[in-house]
Amino acid sequence: MSSYIEFDAKKVIDYITNLGSFFDKDASLSCYEFGDGNLNLVFRVQDTQENSIIVKQALPYARCVGESWPLTLDRARIEASVLQRHGEICPDTTAKVLHHNTELALTVLEDLGHLRILRGELNQANTFTRLSKDVANYLAKTSFYHSSFYLTPSEKKALVTEFTNPELCAITEDLFFDDPYRDAERNNFPAALQPSVEMLRKNKALLVEVAKLKAQFLNAPETLLHGDVHTGSIFVDAKHTKLIDPEFGFFGPIGFDLGSFIGNLLLNYCAQHARINALPKRRNMQVYLLDCIATTLSSFYATWLELAKTHTRDLSLQADGYAEYFLTKVLQDAVGYCGCELIRRTIGLAHVADIDAIEDEDARLAVQQRALHLGELLIINANKCQTTDDVYQLIISFVN
Amino acid sequence: MSSYIEFDAKKVIDYITNLGSFFDKDASLSCYEFGDGNLNLVFRVQDTQENSIIVKQALPYARCVGESWPLTLDRARIEASVLQRHGEICPDTTAKVLHHNTELALTVLEDLGHLRILRGELNQANTFTRLSKDVANYLAKTSFYHSSFYLTPSEKKALVTEFTNPELCAITEDLFFDDPYRDAERNNFPAALQPSVEMLRKNKALLVEVAKLKAQFLNAPETLLHGDVHTGSIFVDAKHTKLIDPEFGFFGPIGFDLGSFIGNLLLNYCAQHARINALPKRRNMQVYLLDCIATTLSSFYATWLELAKTHTRDLSLQADGYAEYFLTKVLQDAVGYCGCELIRRTIGLAHVADIDAIEDEDARLAVQQRALHLGELLIINANKCQTTDDVYQLIISFVN
C-alpha cells in the first residue's frame, strides 16, 4: 500500500482521464466529493453529456472518529471483490464495479444517482414493490453459491482466506455483540433509556443467546456475506434494487445478512409509530413493512431450497431433508441477528436516522423502548421458529 | 519447495551432522528408515551412546497408494507447527519438535522409541492408568487455548489462515463423511457385510446427521485440532502419553478429536469380542475401555469448563451458562464423530488392526457388524446427550 495517496477532486479527474475508459477522449470532466459515510471518500465524475461514474476511495482511518481510529485500506479490495463476486451471480441487484486499484484503495463504480437510498425513502413512507423479492433473491443466490453446498471444500477454504477481514469484523464484533450489553464508552443512548438498558443487561438468558450468536459470527464461515445489509446500503426505485458497500464482507453465518435486513425494516416499523400520526397511513406503511418481511423470508427460503435441491454439489449435503434442517437454522440465526441489530442501533454507537431524526423526545424514547424490547424478545425466542411463517408470526406477535 | 529432495539414510546423517545440534561433534551416527505409515519417511538416527532422534520427512505422494496420489508437502509445516503450538500448552503429552525445515518438509523429533504405540498395546490387552486423563487434558487445553474463548478474533483469524489444510482435510472429508455412505471405489469391506452396509445407507435420518457433521467439519473453525487422534497416533507407557502426527491439523470443530479418540477405544472394545475368548479377561479389558471413555469425557469436560470459567477473554462468551451450552454441543458433536469413525474404519479405505488382524473370518465379521451398528446408533442418538454421563449411558446402552 506504499503508493497510497488521498485523492481530491482534481486528482480523481487526472486519474480517470488517464484511464481513458469511461468518457469521450475530449470530454470536459467535473468532479465533487459527496460522501456522507464514515470511512470513505466518494466522488462523482461527470461530463457535460450526463455521463457519470462514482469513484470511491477508502481512507486509512474512520472518518466519523478522525485519524485516531486507523482502519485498514484492505477493505477497499474486499468491497470491490465482494461486489464482483456477488455481481456475477446477481448482476441486476449489485452495484457494478468498473475498475479497481488496490494500492490506492480506489474503486470506480457505476453511478446509481438516479436511484434513492432506501432508508430515506422508507422514512418518507415511500414503498417499493420489488424490494423484498430482489433482496431475498440476492441474499439467497449469493449465499448459496458461496456455501459448502456448491463450492468444493478447497475452493471455499481459499476464498475464506481471501476474504479474511479481521479489522472490519472487529467493528461488528464489538459494536454488535459486546458494547450494547455492558457499559462501554461508545454506547449512545439518552439517560431516560437507562432503566430499559439495565433490564436488558440483567437478562441472563438473553446474554447466553447473544454469546451463541457472537460465537457463530466468529466460527461459522458458511458463505461470503455482504456484512452490512442495512437500508442505507440499498439503492432503489420502482424498478431497481441495488446493493452497495460490502466492505464488511467476509465468510460468516448466512443468517447474518438476512437478519440485518429484516432488523432494519423493523427499526423503520418501530419508528413509524412516531413518524406518522395519521393512523390509516401509519398502518399502511407498517403493513407494507411486515409484508416486505414476510416476502423476504418466504422468497429467500424458497429460492435457497430450490437451489439446494437442484445445484448442491457436495454429496453428503444432498441427503434428503438436510437442506430443510439447514435453512431452519439459518432462519433462527436470522431472527437472532435481527434482534441484535434492533438493540445495537438503539443503544450502541451507530444509530439509524429512522429513529434519531424523530424530533419529539418522548416519542423518540417510546420508539427506542419499543425497538429495544422487540430486539430482546426476538433473540430470546428465535429458536422456537421452524418455518418462515413461524418467524413472521413471532414478529407480528411482538410488534405494535 | 523447489529445493525438496527425498532423503535416504545417508542424506539424513549428512543433514544432521551439518546441523551439529543433537550429538557430540565426533559421534559416529547410524540411521535407518522404519516408517510404516502411508505418507512419510521416518528415520531413526543414533550414536553409539544410546542417544537418538527421529527424522520425519513428508513424501510428495501418499506412500500407500504410490506416486499416483500426489500430496502436498505443506503438511510437514502444519504438523510441526501444530506440535509446537500444542507442545507449548501441553509439553508432557506432545512429541517435541527439535528442528523443522519447511523446504525439505523435514522435522526432527524427540525419539519416543522407549514408548509403545497405544493401538498395539490395546490389541494385546495392555492397559494404561494415565491414558484417559492425559488425553483429556491434552484435548481440553489445546482446544480451549485455540478457541474464541481465549484468542482474540484477529489472532484466531490469522491462525485459521496459517493452518488452512485443504488437501489433508479433503482426505477426511471424503473418507470419513462421503465414501462409507455410497458405492465408492476406495471402500473396503467383505461381501458378507454388504447387507449391513446397505441397511446403513438406507437410513435417511443417519444420512442427515452425517451431513450435519460434515457441514460442521467444513464450517466450524472452533479450534486448532490435531485432526487424527486415533490410537496409532499415541505413544504410551505406564508413565507417559505422547501425541504424534498431527499432519491433519486445521481449525475445526472441537468435538472431532474427542470423538475420534473415543471412537478408536470403541473399535478396540468391539474387537475384544473376538480377540479375547476368556470371558473374565475380556470383560476386564472392556471395562477398562469403558472406564477410559468415562474418564476422558468427564475429565475433558471438567478441565474445559474450569478454563472457560477462569480464562475466557471474550466478553460475550463469559455469559453465565454459555460455556455449559457450548460444551454440551461439543459432546454431541463428539458422539457423532465417534460414530463416523466406527463406520469409516469398518467399511471405508483405512481400517484398524484391532479388527483387521482378527484371523477368524466369522468372528471378524461379527465385530464389523457390531462396530457398524454401534456407529449408526451413536450418530442417530448423539443429540439426546446433555451431559458426559448421558454420553456414557448412551454408549453402554448400545455396547455389550
Side-chain angles (χ1 to χ4, degrees), chain B residues 156-266:
Chain B
K156 187 152 159 296
K157 285 180 226 286
L159 288 174
V160 167
T161 297
E162 184 181 333
F163 288 96
T164 297
N165 194 357
E167 290 198 49
L168 273 77
C169 283
I171 296 175
T172 306
E173 286 148 12
D174 292 346
L175 300 188
F176 208 92
F177 300 106
D178 284 3
D179 288 358
Y181 304 97
R182 52 194 53 85
D183 272 327
E185 216 178 310
R186 287 173 295 202
N187 284 332
N188 172 17
F189 56 86
L193 203 58
Q194 186 71 35
S196 306
V197 172
E198 274 170 28
M199 285 281 284
L200 184 91
R201 291 179 185 165
K202 281 188 190 141
N203 185 338
K204 286 192 178 185
L206 176 76
L207 300 183
V208 169
E209 294 306 316
V210 172
K212 291 182 196 174
L213 291 161
K214 182 178 181 190
Q216 169 111 332
F217 187 84
L218 293 170
N219 292 296
E222 291 176 350
T223 201
L224 179 57
L225 294 174
H226 176 288
D228 196 23
V229 182
H230 59 83
T231 47
S233 301
I234 304 175
F235 272 108
V236 284
D237 72 6
K239 293 188 180 164
H240 301 92
T241 311
K242 294 271 188 188
L243 277 282
I244 61 166
D245 289 354
E247 59 199 331
F248 284 80
F250 77 111
F251 271 75
I254 291 176
F256 184 77
D257 280 350
L258 181 61
S260 300
F261 178 63
I262 294 173
N264 276 269
L265 297 180
L266 285 175

Side-chain angles (χ1 to χ4, degrees), chain A residues 148 153 156-157 161 173 177-178 204 207-208 211-212 214-215 219-221 314-317 319-320 322 325, chain B residues 148 153 156-157 161 173 177-178 182 204 207-208 211-212 214-215 219-221 314-317 319-320 322 325:
Chain A
S148 292
K156 187 153 157 296
K157 286 181 225 285
T161 297
E173 286 148 13
F177 299 107
D178 284 2
K204 286 192 178 186
L207 299 183
V208 170
K212 291 182 197 175
K214 182 177 181 189
N219 292 297
D314 185 282
L315 292 175
S316 297
L317 305 194
D320 236 12
Y322 175 67
Y325 162 84
Chain B
S148 292
K156 187 152 159 296
K157 285 180 226 286
T161 297
E173 286 148 12
F177 300 106
D178 284 3
R182 52 194 53 85
K204 286 192 178 185
L207 300 183
V208 169
K212 291 182 196 174
K214 182 178 181 190
N219 292 296
D314 184 282
L315 292 175
S316 297
L317 305 193
D320 235 13
Y322 176 67
Y325 161 84

